[in-house]
Amino acid sequence: MPGCSVNHQETNSDVENKVKNLLASMSLEEKIGQMTQIDVAVIAAPEELNAANPIDQAKLEDAVLNHHIGSILNTPYTPHNKAQTVETWRKMLQSVQAVAAKSRLKIPVLYGIDAIHGATYIKDSTLFPQAINMAATFNPELSVKEGEITARELRTAGLQWNFSPVMDIGRQPLWPRLWETYGEDVHLATVLGTSFIEGQQGDDFSAPDKVLTCLKHYVGYSYPLNGRDRTPAWIGERTLREYFLPTFEAGVKAGSPTIMVNSGEVDGIPGHANYHYLTTILRNEMGFKGFTVSDWEDIKRLYTRDKLAANEKEAVKIAVMAGIDMSMVPLDFSFYDLLLELVKSGEVPLARIDEAVSRILLVKFEAGLFNPNPQVLPTKENFATTEALDTNLQAARESIVLAKNANHILPLKKESSILVTGPTANLLNVMNGGWTITWQGDDESLHPQDKLTVLEAIQKKATGKVTYVGGDSFDKAIDIEKAVAEAKNHDTIVLCLGEKPYTETVGNIDSLNLDQAQINLANALIATGKPVILITLGGRPRIITSIAEQVPGVILGFLPGMEGGLAIADILFGDYNPDGKLPITYPRTTNGITPYDYKPIESYEQNTYHPLYAFGHGLSYTTFQTSELRVEKDKINSNEAINITVTVKNTGSLKGKETVLLYVNDVAASVTRPNKQLKGFKKIELNPDQAKNISFTLTPNDLSFIGVDLKRVVESGDFKVIVGNETVNFSIVK
Ligand code: GLC
C-alpha cells in the first residue's frame, strides 16, 4: 500500500513480517475482535453524569479485554452526538489505549471520527466550507490546507482516523448528501478529494500531525434513482466505471488506507454484499491493500432491511465473504459473537479472517499505533490558530458563487441602507450543514457565538442603516407585512433563503422547490420595487428560478462554513472580488437535473440542457477573456499526450481570480460520449489588463472511456478541446 511505513527505516516487508508474527500469536477471539468496531455509546457513562471523561471504565474493559474490540467510533451520547473539548477527548482516548495496553497482546484501538469539514466533534475547532463549497473554489491548494489543518486539530485531541473524504460524486441534486460531495464532475472531485488526502496524510500518515483518511462511500451511493438517501441506485457497470469508480481509484492511488462501504444498493445488490465491487474490482483490479469498514449497522441491515439474508448470522457471513473487513456494528457485540460461531462451524474459513485481520493490523502498524509513546500535538500551535482562521475565511470567500449581477448592482455601497430578511439571514447552522458539532448540525445554541451570521457580518461592515426582519430560528415565520413596510425605508433588500441543516435520510425531500413561505416572502419584497439581492444557503440547489429572474443580484452560498457570514459580507460590499464557480448544474426546474456532461441524445429535438446556471458558472466584479487556444499538433497516436495552450486576460478594472476550464469532446466513439467533459482547470489571479498564457497536458487516460467490453479504451477519431468560446480540434490516429 503506498501509504507509508511506520518509520522510514522500516521497509514494507519489515511491517508485513510484524503483521505475520502478531497474527500468528493471536487467538480466534482476538482476531475477530480486530474486525469489530463499536460506537462509543457502548462504553460511555450516562450523559447525565456529565463526567470529564465520558467513558465507563467497566464497560470499556469488557469491550476491549473480553470482546477484544479493535476499533471504536464517534463522539459520546449517540444519537445526540455532540462536540467534546480537546481535554475530554485526550482523557477518553488515553483511557481507551490504557486498557488496550492491559490486554494480552496490547494491540492499540483505532478510533474513528467524522471530520468532513474540520474536526466536527472537537469543541471550537476550525469548521471549513463543506465539500460542495471546497469544490466551488476550484482551488486544490485550499483543499490541501484544509486537510492539513483538520489533521493537526484532530491530533491535538489524539484522534487519528477521519471518515473522510467523501469520494462519491454528486449528480442527483435531491440527494441529502449532495453537499458532502465535490460536485457532479469526476475530474474536479478527483483533484479536490486527492488534495484533501494529501493534506491529511502527507507522505507518512504516522507523522504526529497527520491522520488516516477513509474513502467513502464505496461505491455508487450518491445516485439513488428517486433522490432519497439509502434507496436503490440504478447504475450499470459501464456507468459505474465511467463516473463512480475513478474517484475511488484515485483515492487508493493517493494512499488512503481505509474505505467505508455504500449503505445503499446498486443494481439490486447492497453495497455490503457485493463481492464484485468489494473484492474483484477493489482488490484484484485496483490493488487496494488497506481495509474496508462497513457503514453504520449495514451488515445487520442485510437482514433487517434488505431481506437479503435470512438472519443476522447469514448477514455477517455474506458481508465478510463479500469483502468487508471491519464491521461498524455498532451498538452491540453481535458481529463478534456471530462471526465466532461462523468460523468455529467452518462456514467462514479462518483464511478469510486472517486476510481481514492482516489488513487491519497492517494499517495499525503503518499508522504508528504500536509506537510506545504516541505524540499528542500541543494545542497552542495546532488548534484553531490564526492561520487556520485565515485559511478558512479565504476558502469561504473562494467558495461563494456570484451567479447574477444585473446593472452592476453589486457590490453594495457600505453607506447604503439595507433591509436584511429571510430564514437563513441570522443563523450559523444554515452555513455549516450536517456534521457540525452534532450529527445533524441543527443545534444553533451549540454553535460558537463569536462567529458571524450573514446579518451580523453585514451589520459589522455597513456604515448605513441596517434593519433586520426575521426570527432566530429557521422555521419561525417571517412577518411579511413588516418586511414589506421596512423595505420602503431602505435602498436595498438582502433576502436570505435556502435550507436548514440536515444529513442522511433526515434530509430526504420530495421536491427541490423552495417552501411556499419563502416564495411568498420573495414575491412580496420584489413587488415593492426595491432592488433585491438574493442569497441562498443550504446543501442543495433549491429551485429559485422565478425569484432569480426578477432580482438583479444572486449569490449562491451553499455551505460556506463558520466564516461564511464574513465571506458573504466581503463579497456583498466588494471587499472580496468573488471567484467561485458552480461544481454542479443549478437546475431551472425540479426535474431539470441533467448534468453538464450530458449525452447528445439529451440535447436532441425538444431535449435541451437549459439549467438556471450551468456547471462552471460564476461571475466576478471584473471580466476575463480567454483567447489564442492552441493545440500543439493536430494528430497524435493513442498512447501520446498532447499539450494545449490558451491565453487568459483580465479585461476589467479590478484584480481578480479566474478559473480556466478545459473541456474535451470525443466527437464519435463506440459508446456515446458526453458533449463535453472537464479534463483540466487552472485558477490564476490577474491584475487589470494582465494576461497570462497557460498550458494543459491531456494524457491518454484523459482521452479514454469505458468501452463496450467494460474496459478503459482510447479510440482513434476526432476530438475537440473547448475553452471559453473557443474550440480547437485534433485527431487520434491508430
Ligand atoms: C453514517 C454515515 C457515514 C459516517 C458513519 C459514521 O451512517 O453514512 O458517512 O462516516 O455513519 O458516523
Side-chain angles (χ1 to χ4, degrees), residues 402 404-416 418 492 494 533 552-553 555 568-578 620-622 653-654:
L402 175 60
K404 183 177 182 182
N405 189 15
N407 320 314
H408 302 292
I409 180 90
L410 291 170
L412 301 177
K413 293 186 175 24
K414 289 180 180 172
E415 61 273 18
S416 56
I418 301 168
T492 309
V494 170
I533 309 298
I555 292 175
I568 286 173
D570 283 345
I571 288 168
L572 269 177
F573 294 112
D575 289 343
Y576 186 76
N577 183 3
S620 167
Y621 290 144
T622 187
S653 56
L654 277 177

mmCIF file of all heavy atoms in Angstrom, residues 402 404-416 418 492 494 533 552-553 555 568-578 620-622 653-654:
data_model
loop_
_atom_site.group_PDB
_atom_site.id
_atom_site.type_symbol
_atom_site.label_atom_id
_atom_site.label_comp_id
_atom_site.label_asym_id
_atom_site.label_seq_id
_atom_site.Cartn_x
_atom_site.Cartn_y
_atom_site.Cartn_z
ATOM 1 N N LEU A 402 -21.031 34.119 -7.308
ATOM 2 C CA LEU A 402 -21.849 35.262 -7.749
ATOM 3 C C LEU A 402 -22.519 34.832 -9.049
ATOM 4 O O LEU A 402 -21.871 34.711 -10.084
ATOM 5 C CB LEU A 402 -20.983 36.500 -7.979
ATOM 6 C CG LEU A 402 -21.708 37.720 -8.552
ATOM 7 C CD1 LEU A 402 -22.840 38.206 -7.642
ATOM 8 C CD2 LEU A 402 -20.715 38.852 -8.833
ATOM 9 N N LYS A 404 -25.494 36.169 -10.450
ATOM 10 C CA LYS A 404 -26.128 37.232 -11.258
ATOM 11 C C LYS A 404 -25.775 38.588 -10.668
ATOM 12 O O LYS A 404 -25.738 38.746 -9.453
ATOM 13 C CB LYS A 404 -27.651 37.041 -11.266
ATOM 14 C CG LYS A 404 -28.416 38.050 -12.129
ATOM 15 C CD LYS A 404 -29.901 37.743 -12.135
ATOM 16 C CE LYS A 404 -30.676 38.718 -13.040
ATOM 17 N NZ LYS A 404 -32.138 38.453 -13.020
ATOM 18 N N ASN A 405 -25.507 39.548 -11.563
ATOM 19 C CA ASN A 405 -25.162 40.900 -11.096
ATOM 20 C C ASN A 405 -25.624 41.903 -12.138
ATOM 21 O O ASN A 405 -24.809 42.571 -12.786
ATOM 22 C CB ASN A 405 -23.659 41.009 -10.857
ATOM 23 C CG ASN A 405 -23.307 42.332 -10.171
ATOM 24 O OD1 ASN A 405 -24.185 43.022 -9.643
ATOM 25 N ND2 ASN A 405 -22.045 42.698 -10.194
ATOM 26 N N ALA A 406 -26.932 41.995 -12.303
ATOM 27 C CA ALA A 406 -27.501 42.858 -13.353
ATOM 28 C C ALA A 406 -27.237 44.320 -13.012
ATOM 29 O O ALA A 406 -27.298 44.721 -11.836
ATOM 30 C CB ALA A 406 -29.006 42.602 -13.455
ATOM 31 N N ASN A 407 -26.915 45.090 -14.033
ATOM 32 C CA ASN A 407 -26.653 46.534 -13.879
ATOM 33 C C ASN A 407 -25.619 46.814 -12.788
ATOM 34 O O ASN A 407 -25.677 47.847 -12.119
ATOM 35 C CB ASN A 407 -27.969 47.293 -13.547
ATOM 36 C CG ASN A 407 -29.136 46.752 -14.347
ATOM 37 O OD1 ASN A 407 -28.987 46.548 -15.571
ATOM 38 N ND2 ASN A 407 -30.246 46.451 -13.674
ATOM 39 N N HIS A 408 -24.747 45.853 -12.573
ATOM 40 C CA HIS A 408 -23.684 46.052 -11.565
ATOM 41 C C HIS A 408 -24.261 46.530 -10.234
ATOM 42 O O HIS A 408 -23.721 47.422 -9.580
ATOM 43 C CB HIS A 408 -22.650 47.047 -12.089
ATOM 44 C CG HIS A 408 -22.025 46.605 -13.381
ATOM 45 N ND1 HIS A 408 -21.188 45.513 -13.471
ATOM 46 C CD2 HIS A 408 -22.166 47.077 -14.647
ATOM 47 C CE1 HIS A 408 -20.814 45.329 -14.742
ATOM 48 N NE2 HIS A 408 -21.403 46.266 -15.468
ATOM 49 N N ILE A 409 -25.363 45.910 -9.860
ATOM 50 C CA ILE A 409 -25.990 46.294 -8.589
ATOM 51 C C ILE A 409 -25.056 46.005 -7.412
ATOM 52 O O ILE A 409 -25.090 46.657 -6.389
ATOM 53 C CB ILE A 409 -27.325 45.540 -8.401
ATOM 54 C CG1 ILE A 409 -28.023 45.895 -7.080
ATOM 55 C CG2 ILE A 409 -27.104 44.032 -8.411
ATOM 56 C CD1 ILE A 409 -28.953 47.046 -7.203
ATOM 57 N N LEU A 410 -24.174 44.993 -7.655
ATOM 58 C CA LEU A 410 -23.167 44.622 -6.647
ATOM 59 C C LEU A 410 -21.798 45.047 -7.161
ATOM 60 O O LEU A 410 -21.563 45.036 -8.366
ATOM 61 C CB LEU A 410 -23.194 43.093 -6.416
ATOM 62 C CG LEU A 410 -24.447 42.554 -5.706
ATOM 63 C CD1 LEU A 410 -24.467 41.039 -5.769
ATOM 64 C CD2 LEU A 410 -24.493 43.033 -4.277
ATOM 65 N N PRO A 411 -20.863 45.402 -6.245
ATOM 66 C CA PRO A 411 -21.027 45.432 -4.777
ATOM 67 C C PRO A 411 -21.866 46.609 -4.306
ATOM 68 O O PRO A 411 -21.972 47.617 -5.011
ATOM 69 C CB PRO A 411 -19.586 45.543 -4.278
ATOM 70 C CG PRO A 411 -18.843 46.203 -5.389
ATOM 71 C CD PRO A 411 -19.489 45.748 -6.652
ATOM 72 N N LEU A 412 -22.443 46.445 -3.125
ATOM 73 C CA LEU A 412 -23.242 47.499 -2.499
ATOM 74 C C LEU A 412 -22.315 48.537 -1.883
ATOM 75 O O LEU A 412 -21.181 48.233 -1.514
ATOM 76 C CB LEU A 412 -24.132 46.905 -1.389
ATOM 77 C CG LEU A 412 -25.124 45.825 -1.782
ATOM 78 C CD1 LEU A 412 -25.861 45.320 -0.547
ATOM 79 C CD2 LEU A 412 -26.107 46.357 -2.832
ATOM 80 N N LYS A 413 -22.837 49.750 -1.749
ATOM 81 C CA LYS A 413 -22.090 50.775 -1.016
ATOM 82 C C LYS A 413 -22.312 50.556 0.476
ATOM 83 O O LYS A 413 -23.445 50.292 0.906
ATOM 84 C CB LYS A 413 -22.573 52.178 -1.424
ATOM 85 C CG LYS A 413 -22.247 52.559 -2.866
ATOM 86 C CD LYS A 413 -22.619 53.992 -3.170
ATOM 87 C CE LYS A 413 -22.188 54.440 -4.583
ATOM 88 N NZ LYS A 413 -22.025 53.312 -5.523
ATOM 89 N N LYS A 414 -21.262 50.690 1.274
ATOM 90 C CA LYS A 414 -21.383 50.425 2.707
ATOM 91 C C LYS A 414 -22.325 51.411 3.384
ATOM 92 O O LYS A 414 -22.932 51.103 4.401
ATOM 93 C CB LYS A 414 -20.000 50.439 3.378
ATOM 94 C CG LYS A 414 -19.176 49.229 2.982
ATOM 95 C CD LYS A 414 -17.806 49.182 3.606
ATOM 96 C CE LYS A 414 -17.080 47.929 3.146
ATOM 97 N NZ LYS A 414 -15.662 47.897 3.566
ATOM 98 N N GLU A 415 -22.465 52.594 2.733
ATOM 99 C CA GLU A 415 -23.320 53.607 3.366
ATOM 100 C C GLU A 415 -24.785 53.442 2.967
ATOM 101 O O GLU A 415 -25.656 54.123 3.457
ATOM 102 C CB GLU A 415 -22.829 55.016 3.016
ATOM 103 C CG GLU A 415 -22.828 55.358 1.543
ATOM 104 C CD GLU A 415 -21.536 54.930 0.863
ATOM 105 O OE1 GLU A 415 -20.799 54.075 1.453
ATOM 106 O OE2 GLU A 415 -21.250 55.419 -0.241
ATOM 107 N N SER A 416 -25.072 52.469 2.081
ATOM 108 C CA SER A 416 -26.486 52.317 1.681
ATOM 109 C C SER A 416 -27.292 51.722 2.830
ATOM 110 O O SER A 416 -26.758 51.054 3.703
ATOM 111 C CB SER A 416 -26.584 51.419 0.457
ATOM 112 O OG SER A 416 -25.974 50.171 0.714
ATOM 113 N N ILE A 418 -29.910 49.125 4.239
ATOM 114 C CA ILE A 418 -30.172 47.737 3.818
ATOM 115 C C ILE A 418 -31.179 47.085 4.750
ATOM 116 O O ILE A 418 -31.038 47.152 5.982
ATOM 117 C CB ILE A 418 -28.856 46.918 3.839
ATOM 118 C CG1 ILE A 418 -27.805 47.545 2.909
ATOM 119 C CG2 ILE A 418 -29.108 45.468 3.423
ATOM 120 C CD1 ILE A 418 -26.403 46.973 3.084
ATOM 121 N N THR A 492 -31.877 48.961 -0.388
ATOM 122 C CA THR A 492 -31.687 47.613 -0.944
ATOM 123 C C THR A 492 -32.203 46.567 0.039
ATOM 124 O O THR A 492 -32.155 46.787 1.256
ATOM 125 C CB THR A 492 -30.170 47.342 -1.174
ATOM 126 O OG1 THR A 492 -29.635 48.428 -1.916
ATOM 127 C CG2 THR A 492 -29.948 46.030 -1.923
ATOM 128 N N VAL A 494 -31.594 42.610 1.218
ATOM 129 C CA VAL A 494 -30.791 41.377 1.126
ATOM 130 C C VAL A 494 -31.678 40.250 1.641
ATOM 131 O O VAL A 494 -32.046 40.211 2.830
ATOM 132 C CB VAL A 494 -29.498 41.485 1.958
ATOM 133 C CG1 VAL A 494 -28.793 40.134 2.051
ATOM 134 C CG2 VAL A 494 -28.561 42.529 1.330
ATOM 135 N N ILE A 533 -31.290 41.598 -3.410
ATOM 136 C CA ILE A 533 -30.126 40.707 -3.608
ATOM 137 C C ILE A 533 -30.494 39.387 -2.952
ATOM 138 O O ILE A 533 -30.712 39.320 -1.730
ATOM 139 C CB ILE A 533 -28.854 41.266 -2.932
ATOM 140 C CG1 ILE A 533 -28.619 42.717 -3.345
ATOM 141 C CG2 ILE A 533 -27.652 40.368 -3.226
ATOM 142 C CD1 ILE A 533 -28.389 42.918 -4.809
ATOM 143 N N PRO A 552 -31.996 41.598 -9.335
ATOM 144 C CA PRO A 552 -30.749 41.952 -10.036
ATOM 145 C C PRO A 552 -29.519 41.218 -9.544
ATOM 146 O O PRO A 552 -28.544 41.046 -10.248
ATOM 147 C CB PRO A 552 -30.613 43.453 -9.777
ATOM 148 C CG PRO A 552 -31.363 43.694 -8.512
ATOM 149 C CD PRO A 552 -32.466 42.703 -8.476
ATOM 150 N N GLY A 553 -29.562 40.727 -8.291
ATOM 151 C CA GLY A 553 -28.343 40.084 -7.783
ATOM 152 C C GLY A 553 -28.644 38.725 -7.166
ATOM 153 O O GLY A 553 -29.643 38.574 -6.442
ATOM 154 N N ILE A 555 -26.524 35.510 -5.170
ATOM 155 C CA ILE A 555 -25.293 34.924 -4.619
ATOM 156 C C ILE A 555 -25.637 33.537 -4.085
ATOM 157 O O ILE A 555 -26.561 33.394 -3.265
ATOM 158 C CB ILE A 555 -24.728 35.804 -3.479
ATOM 159 C CG1 ILE A 555 -24.224 37.140 -4.032
ATOM 160 C CG2 ILE A 555 -23.606 35.075 -2.732
ATOM 161 C CD1 ILE A 555 -23.764 38.125 -2.971
ATOM 162 N N ILE A 568 -19.469 36.282 2.871
ATOM 163 C CA ILE A 568 -20.583 36.800 2.070
ATOM 164 C C ILE A 568 -20.627 38.320 2.161
ATOM 165 O O ILE A 568 -20.784 39.031 1.152
ATOM 166 C CB ILE A 568 -21.912 36.156 2.512
ATOM 167 C CG1 ILE A 568 -21.985 34.705 2.032
ATOM 168 C CG2 ILE A 568 -23.119 36.957 2.006
ATOM 169 C CD1 ILE A 568 -23.165 33.911 2.540
ATOM 170 N N ALA A 569 -20.391 38.848 3.350
ATOM 171 C CA ALA A 569 -20.396 40.317 3.502
ATOM 172 C C ALA A 569 -19.226 40.932 2.729
ATOM 173 O O ALA A 569 -19.361 41.978 2.086
ATOM 174 C CB ALA A 569 -20.323 40.681 4.973
ATOM 175 N N ASP A 570 -18.071 40.256 2.765
ATOM 176 C CA ASP A 570 -16.918 40.741 1.984
ATOM 177 C C ASP A 570 -17.293 40.884 0.512
ATOM 178 O O ASP A 570 -16.934 41.848 -0.156
ATOM 179 C CB ASP A 570 -15.746 39.756 2.098
ATOM 180 C CG ASP A 570 -15.024 39.869 3.433
ATOM 181 O OD1 ASP A 570 -15.255 40.885 4.135
ATOM 182 O OD2 ASP A 570 -14.259 38.954 3.776
ATOM 183 N N ILE A 571 -18.018 39.893 0.004
ATOM 184 C CA ILE A 571 -18.406 39.912 -1.412
ATOM 185 C C ILE A 571 -19.504 40.954 -1.643
ATOM 186 O O ILE A 571 -19.447 41.744 -2.591
ATOM 187 C CB ILE A 571 -18.840 38.504 -1.863
ATOM 188 C CG1 ILE A 571 -17.602 37.599 -1.949
ATOM 189 C CG2 ILE A 571 -19.606 38.532 -3.174
ATOM 190 C CD1 ILE A 571 -17.897 36.124 -2.113
ATOM 191 N N LEU A 572 -20.475 41.017 -0.737
ATOM 192 C CA LEU A 572 -21.572 41.984 -0.893
ATOM 193 C C LEU A 572 -21.041 43.407 -1.028
ATOM 194 O O LEU A 572 -21.518 44.188 -1.847
ATOM 195 C CB LEU A 572 -22.502 41.924 0.319
ATOM 196 C CG LEU A 572 -23.693 40.987 0.301
ATOM 197 C CD1 LEU A 572 -24.424 41.036 1.641
ATOM 198 C CD2 LEU A 572 -24.653 41.327 -0.842
ATOM 199 N N PHE A 573 -20.050 43.743 -0.232
ATOM 200 C CA PHE A 573 -19.540 45.122 -0.208
ATOM 201 C C PHE A 573 -18.273 45.298 -1.024
ATOM 202 O O PHE A 573 -17.645 46.351 -1.002
ATOM 203 C CB PHE A 573 -19.300 45.572 1.237
ATOM 204 C CG PHE A 573 -20.556 45.691 2.045
ATOM 205 C CD1 PHE A 573 -20.828 44.817 3.093
ATOM 206 C CD2 PHE A 573 -21.522 46.653 1.734
ATOM 207 C CE1 PHE A 573 -22.007 44.915 3.838
ATOM 208 C CE2 PHE A 573 -22.701 46.754 2.455
ATOM 209 C CZ PHE A 573 -22.946 45.884 3.511
ATOM 210 N N GLY A 574 -17.843 44.233 -1.732
ATOM 211 C CA GLY A 574 -16.701 44.379 -2.633
ATOM 212 C C GLY A 574 -15.358 44.295 -1.942
ATOM 213 O O GLY A 574 -14.328 44.592 -2.531
ATOM 214 N N ASP A 575 -15.342 43.893 -0.669
ATOM 215 C CA ASP A 575 -14.047 43.717 -0.005
ATOM 216 C C ASP A 575 -13.357 42.447 -0.487
ATOM 217 O O ASP A 575 -12.182 42.227 -0.217
ATOM 218 C CB ASP A 575 -14.224 43.650 1.522
ATOM 219 C CG ASP A 575 -14.590 45.023 2.082
ATOM 220 O OD1 ASP A 575 -14.381 46.026 1.344
ATOM 221 O OD2 ASP A 575 -15.128 45.094 3.190
ATOM 222 N N TYR A 576 -14.117 41.605 -1.184
ATOM 223 C CA TYR A 576 -13.511 40.464 -1.863
ATOM 224 C C TYR A 576 -14.196 40.331 -3.231
ATOM 225 O O TYR A 576 -15.430 40.382 -3.328
ATOM 226 C CB TYR A 576 -13.653 39.154 -1.080
ATOM 227 C CG TYR A 576 -12.873 38.037 -1.750
ATOM 228 C CD1 TYR A 576 -11.481 37.988 -1.628
ATOM 229 C CD2 TYR A 576 -13.492 37.116 -2.578
ATOM 230 C CE1 TYR A 576 -10.736 37.012 -2.283
ATOM 231 C CE2 TYR A 576 -12.764 36.136 -3.235
ATOM 232 C CZ TYR A 576 -11.385 36.092 -3.100
ATOM 233 O OH TYR A 576 -10.643 35.142 -3.759
ATOM 234 N N ASN A 577 -13.387 40.192 -4.261
ATOM 235 C CA ASN A 577 -13.918 40.020 -5.610
ATOM 236 C C ASN A 577 -14.225 38.546 -5.838
ATOM 237 O O ASN A 577 -13.318 37.728 -5.877
ATOM 238 C CB ASN A 577 -12.874 40.512 -6.618
ATOM 239 C CG ASN A 577 -13.403 40.438 -8.043
ATOM 240 O OD1 ASN A 577 -14.569 40.074 -8.263
ATOM 241 N ND2 ASN A 577 -12.569 40.764 -8.989
ATOM 242 N N PRO A 578 -15.505 38.164 -5.955
ATOM 243 C CA PRO A 578 -15.888 36.745 -5.985
ATOM 244 C C PRO A 578 -15.275 35.987 -7.161
ATOM 245 O O PRO A 578 -15.072 36.552 -8.243
ATOM 246 C CB PRO A 578 -17.406 36.786 -6.103
ATOM 247 C CG PRO A 578 -17.715 38.115 -6.685
ATOM 248 C CD PRO A 578 -16.657 39.040 -6.189
ATOM 249 N N SER A 620 -17.508 37.520 -11.695
ATOM 250 C CA SER A 620 -16.526 38.293 -10.937
ATOM 251 C C SER A 620 -16.945 39.755 -11.025
ATOM 252 O O SER A 620 -17.818 40.115 -11.823
ATOM 253 C CB SER A 620 -15.148 38.094 -11.580
ATOM 254 O OG SER A 620 -14.225 39.047 -11.079
ATOM 255 N N TYR A 621 -16.346 40.612 -10.228
ATOM 256 C CA TYR A 621 -16.586 42.052 -10.378
ATOM 257 C C TYR A 621 -15.684 42.628 -11.467
ATOM 258 O O TYR A 621 -15.776 43.801 -11.800
ATOM 259 C CB TYR A 621 -16.349 42.775 -9.053
ATOM 260 C CG TYR A 621 -17.391 42.464 -8.007
ATOM 261 C CD1 TYR A 621 -17.057 42.366 -6.646
ATOM 262 C CD2 TYR A 621 -18.721 42.251 -8.343
ATOM 263 C CE1 TYR A 621 -18.007 42.083 -5.678
ATOM 264 C CE2 TYR A 621 -19.676 41.960 -7.384
ATOM 265 C CZ TYR A 621 -19.326 41.882 -6.054
ATOM 266 O OH TYR A 621 -20.274 41.599 -5.091
ATOM 267 N N THR A 622 -14.800 41.795 -11.983
ATOM 268 C CA THR A 622 -14.066 42.211 -13.180
ATOM 269 C C THR A 622 -14.496 41.278 -14.311
ATOM 270 O O THR A 622 -15.438 40.500 -14.149
ATOM 271 C CB THR A 622 -12.538 42.167 -12.943
ATOM 272 O OG1 THR A 622 -11.878 42.736 -14.078
ATOM 273 C CG2 THR A 622 -12.036 40.750 -12.733
ATOM 274 N N SER A 653 -11.530 46.170 -14.580
ATOM 275 C CA SER A 653 -10.797 47.230 -13.864
ATOM 276 C C SER A 653 -10.410 46.826 -12.443
ATOM 277 O O SER A 653 -9.924 47.623 -11.665
ATOM 278 C CB SER A 653 -11.704 48.463 -13.787
ATOM 279 O OG SER A 653 -12.927 48.069 -13.155
ATOM 280 N N LEU A 654 -10.656 45.545 -12.122
ATOM 281 C CA LEU A 654 -10.335 45.090 -10.757
ATOM 282 C C LEU A 654 -9.472 43.845 -10.806
ATOM 283 O O LEU A 654 -9.647 43.000 -11.705
ATOM 284 C CB LEU A 654 -11.645 44.725 -10.017
ATOM 285 C CG LEU A 654 -12.469 45.830 -9.363
ATOM 286 C CD1 LEU A 654 -13.729 45.220 -8.767
ATOM 287 C CD2 LEU A 654 -11.662 46.543 -8.290
#
